[in-house]
Amino acid sequence: MQLPENVLTCIRLLEENGHRAHVVGGCVRDFCLGKEPHDFDMTTDATPDEMREVFRGYRTVDTGIKHGTLTVLAGGEPLEITTWRVDGEYADHRHPQNVVFTKSLTEDLKRRDFTVNAMCYSPSEGLIDEFGGREDLAAGIIRAVGEPERRFEEDALRILRALRFASVLGFSVEKATADALREKKQLLGSVSAERIFSEWKKLLCGNSASRILSEFADVIEVFLPEADAARFPSLPENGDFLLRSLYLFAGVERAPERYLAACDRLRTDNETKRRGIGVLSHLTDSLSLSKTEILHILFEIEKDDTELLLDLRAALGKGKGEKEILQTVLAERIPYRIADLAVGGKDLTQRGIRGKEIGETLKDLLFAVMDGEVPNEKEKLLAGIARK
Ligand code: ATP
Ligand code: MG
């Protein structure tokens, strides 16, 4: 396992000071799967105070220190190193009330969510896999560490994490784990909206999202009752989050309102909300849109959103060839914004047009150009006004 230089430095420093240190969790899992890990987390028997001592020559950040995490800046990406710990009693199915540091690596690995996430590695000790993580990786299985019901009760976010990993990795959820997460699905109600949304995004974009959503539709319904579960089995190939989200709302009654309600409840970012509502509000039953209709949509929503709308229509089996029309319209630089017109407000004031009428006239002219009635040429446009 090839570790980055800063990770090796931190492991070496800890070991030189008599401690044990490993990379752990997602990075080990990804390595075993032959994937490039996107970050490295570390675990050590050194207490936070001992870590501070070991890393006194480095810049460190203390924000997670209460939970035993010190962030070390040793070149490369900031590295989070966490003292081996056992989670204390859980309050509200989400937060351990306190954490207790431990001198047992096994205890630290045991608190982790799934067997595939409970392995650690160091160059001096090799791979440590006490719960059959490698075997489950090879078989493509997400399995809770320990007794699944208790683990989901402790922290209900794990319910969604199980589905997320299965969707992203193309795995199945082991039977007892699947039964337990179904049994405990209502506990998702106690998980914060932000955490749900962040897992949901990854889950929905996974390669196996269609399969997992179909299999666990009853669980999804707990936090996203507005979505149309009948569409779960046929998500678009394209794994874009917004496209897939909107696909789940495309057929429901009062789609924009329901989408907005879901966004508000899940506290999504504004862009997810704004773009989604824009697209859903312009989604019609029409089988195909003309060039003029596409121009009108371009006038009302952003270019990217128009593209998204056409992708959504394609996913719904409509609008064959509409993407090509859009490309042509853009390549030909046909105006669809007031600013694209060959005349501006000043030209109109010079001709005695005032106030509100300026904007209205410009819009009329733009629509005349979009509809192919007048070419976008100054003389012709102004002649058009004179004739009014
Ligand atoms: P990703 O690729 O999304 O980063 P990851 O497995 O690294 O996946 P993180 O959320 O970064 O996930 O968590 C790092 C590790 O911490 C996990 O691999 C797991 O061992 C442990 N962990 C994270 N969240 C939980 C949780 N809710 N319950 C138990 N263990 C957890
Ligand atoms: Mg991670």
Side-chain angles (χ1 to χ4, degrees):
M1 198 155 150
Q2 195 62 41
L3 298 178
E5 211 46 52
N6 61 331
V7 175
L8 289 170
T9 305
C10 289
I11 294 181
R12 184 173 45 78
L13 269 173
L14 283 160
E15 287 183 344
E16 279 171 5
N17 285 275
H19 297 292
R20 291 173 71 192
H22 305 86
V23 288
V24 68
C27 62
V28 181
R29 177 197 67 223
D30 289 347
F31 250 122
C32 292
L33 286 170
K35 292 191 200 170
E36 183 87 25
H38 58 85
D39 60 4
F40 291 84
D41 291 317
M42 279 181 56
T43 184
T44 181
D45 62 351
T47 63
D49 285 340
E50 288 168 334
M51 279 198 270
R52 277 212 201 91
E53 182 59 26
V54 169
F55 294 107
R56 63 187 180 283
Y58 290 83
R59 268 182 59 210
T60 57
V61 186
D62 262 10
T63 37
I65 209 76
K66 246 184 28 203
H67 299 104
T69 304
L70 184 71
T71 305
V72 178
L73 303 148
E77 298 288 309
L79 194 61
E80 290 193 351
I81 313 181
T82 305
T83 306
W84 294 348
R85 61 172 212 223
V86 198
D87 293 333
E89 283 292 299
Y90 278 78
D92 61 32
H93 310 293
R94 174 58 215 155
H95 299 105
Q97 278 166 323
N98 57 319
V99 299
V100 182
F101 300 132
T102 172
K103 285 294 163 197
S104 154
L105 174 57
T106 304
E107 286 297 317
D108 181 84
L109 295 176
K110 218 197 256 176
R111 75 173 167 89
R112 296 174 184 275
D113 46 9
F114 308 111
T115 59
V116 295
N117 286 344
M119 297 184 281
C120 67
Y121 168 87
S122 75
S124 60
E125 297 188 44
L127 184 75
I128 298 177
D129 171 20
E130 301 189 358
F131 303 98
R134 237 177 332 177
E135 210 175 294
D136 284 342
L137 271 185
I141 288 174
I142 298 299
R143 182 197 310 269
V145 174
E147 196 197 313
E149 285 197 13
R150 217 195 73 209
R151 302 312 309 284
F152 293 130
E153 240 167 60
E154 286 172 352
D155 178 358
L157 185 68
R158 291 173 189 152
I159 295 172
L160 218 45
R161 283 175 62 89
L163 303 189
R164 186 257 280 198
F165 287 117
S167 166
V168 171
L169 301 174
F171 282 19
S172 55
V173 184
E174 175 268 336
K175 172 88 168 52
T177 303
D179 289 348
L181 74 81
R182 275 219 169 79
E183 167 89 23
K184 299 291 171 192
K185 65 185 178 188
Q186 295 301 344
L187 294 181
L188 278 171
S190 56
V191 179
S192 83
E194 288 83 356
R195 281 175 185 274
I196 292 211
F197 182 57
S198 121
E199 288 299 325
W200 166 241
K201 263 172 106 162
K202 296 177 193 164
L203 162 50
L204 187 62
C205 297
N207 274 337
S208 296
S210 263
R211 175 173 57 82
I212 294 299
L213 291 186
S214 313
E215 189 179 343
F216 295 96
D218 57 326
V219 180
I220 307 302
E221 208 201 331
V222 174
F223 64 90
L224 198 59
E226 297 89 352
D228 181 0
R231 291 199 190 279
F232 287 168
S234 59
L235 286 179
E237 276 291 306
N238 177 341
D240 180 73
F241 173 68
L242 259 182
L243 177 65
R244 287 192 171 179
S245 304
L246 299 179
Y247 180 79
L248 297 180
F249 282 82
V252 306
E253 240 177 89
R254 293 180 292 113
E257 276 168 62
R258 291 182 66 164
Y259 180 81
L260 176 62
C263 286
D264 283 342
R265 215 189 41 262
L266 292 179
R267 293 180 197 260
T268 70
D269 53 287
N270 277 333
E271 179 159 306
T272 298
K273 205 176 345 188
R274 181 185 55 75
R275 295 192 64 196
I277 291 172
V279 169
L280 287 174
S281 320
H282 288 83
L283 187 66
T284 59
D285 285 334
S286 150
L287 275 180
S288 73
L289 298 174
S290 66
K291 179 170 157 185
T292 310
E293 283 170 317
I294 292 176
L295 280 163
H296 287 191
I297 293 171
L298 275 170
F299 172 75
E300 285 180 23
I301 59 181
E302 301 282 325
K303 173 168 105 22
D304 288 351
D305 296 352
T306 306
E307 218 158 338
L308 179 59
L309 171 66
L310 299 191
D311 284 337
L312 178 59
R313 288 174 52 79
L316 294 164
K318 294 180 195 148
K320 218 159 170 270
E322 286 174 359
K323 271 304 265 298
E324 287 73 19
I325 300 180
L326 176 66
Q327 296 317 332
T328 314
V329 158
L330 294 174
E332 288 175 357
R333 300 182 154 274
I334 304 179
Y336 60 86
R337 290 281 137 87
I338 300 279
D340 302 335
L341 275 178
V343 295
K346 222 159 134 199
D347 300 305
L348 301 194
T349 26
Q350 279 170 3
R351 276 158 185 80
I353 300 177
R354 293 281 176 271
K356 210 166 78 188
E357 224 182 307
I358 297 176
E360 284 166 6
T361 309
L362 286 172
K363 191 174 162 193
D364 287 345
L365 289 175
L366 178 65
F367 273 70
V369 173
M370 290 196 294
D371 295 355
E373 292 163 11
V374 198
N376 188 27
E377 292 163 22
K378 194 163 180 169
E379 296 308 314
K380 300 243 166 78
L381 290 168
L382 293 176
I385 302 169
R387 257 186 270 118
K388 278 202 172 172

